[in-house]
Every structure is written in structure tokens, then in C-alpha cells.
Amino acid sequence: MALRKGYLSSVLSGGQGSISWDLEDPGYQHGSAFPNKQTASRLCPGGAEAAKKAADFILASMKRDDGRLLHRYREGEAKVTGFLEDYAFFSHGLIDLYEATFDPKYLEEAE
């Protein structure tokens, strides 16, 4: 998923941003949207809060009722069933977020 800074910032600030997975650009994979425990805790003041906001957005807007992730969010609409890599990177990001916040919700969602 390409959570490029401009798009993610737009989504987090309530703007009409766009989120999509970009498997050709491994530097912007799903899990990289969330700071790991070292980044959130030491290097980035407010990083854990921003990561929580991003994860909560994805869980609320890009996860279907049956538990499947969606691949793309644009102009208020989530589409395209997620790929294996989407689940892997998002789960990894949720585990990192749990380790940064100790909120069991993120560990449960990573299952």
C-alpha cells in the first residue's frame, strides 16, 4: 500500500486524500505507514498517536464487515479486494503499533 506522506496527511487531517497499495514501491508498503515502537516512542513525538489514527481509519474505512481488507481508498470510497501483501504489511504494522501502545485492540486486529 502506498501511504505516501501527502496522501496519509490528507486522510489524517480529514482531507480528500487517496490511499492505495503500491506493490512496485516496497518503501511504501502497508506496515510502513505506522511507526514501529522505536520510532513512535523515541524519535517521533506524537508518532504513536498518528499511527493509531491511521490504523483506526483503515480499520473503519478499508475493512469490510466480513473482515477482508480493501486495497484502495480514494475520494471517500474504498474499493478492490486486498492482496496477500496488504494483509501481511498491515498485520506487521498493527503488531508494531501494539508494541508501541500496548493497546490489545491492535494485537487482536493483527490476527
Side-chain angles (χ1 to χ4, degrees), residues 61-80:
S61 302
M62 298 183 71
K63 183 178 174 187
R64 297 189 333 194
D65 291 337
D66 63 4
R68 289 185 170 216
L69 286 177
L70 295 170
H71 184 70
R72 177 198 51 82
Y73 182 90
R74 183 174 52 212
E75 297 176 1
E77 182 179 32
K79 277 189 170 183
V80 184

Side-chain angles (χ1 to χ4, degrees), residues 3-110:
L3 287 180
R4 289 185 172 79
K5 192 173 186 176
Y7 294 146
L8 182 58
S9 297
S10 179
V11 167
L12 293 177
S13 65
Q16 289 295 328
S18 175
I19 296 177
S20 65
W21 314 120
D22 183 354
L23 299 179
E24 295 176 10
D25 191 349
Y28 289 107
Q29 294 298 332
H30 202 161
S32 69
F34 313 110
N36 61 28
K37 59 184 175 277
Q38 291 84 16
T39 303
S41 300
R42 293 183 304 156
L43 304 177
C44 185
E49 286 304 313
K52 284 171 63 172
K53 193 171 181 180
D56 291 341
F57 173 82
I58 292 169
L59 291 169
S61 302
M62 298 183 71
K63 183 178 174 187
R64 297 189 333 194
D65 291 337
D66 63 4
R68 289 185 170 216
L69 286 177
L70 295 170
H71 184 70
R72 177 198 51 82
Y73 182 90
R74 183 174 52 212
E75 297 176 1
E77 182 179 32
K79 277 189 170 183
V80 184
T81 304
F83 301 106
L84 178 62
E85 292 88 352
D86 301 333
Y87 293 91
F89 288 109
F90 188 51
S91 294
H92 183 260
L94 289 172
I95 292 168
D96 281 346
L97 187 54
Y98 166 74
E99 290 176 349
T101 65
F102 297 109
D103 185 339
K105 166 182 148 180
Y106 300 111
L107 190 59
E108 292 165 7
E109 288 290 346

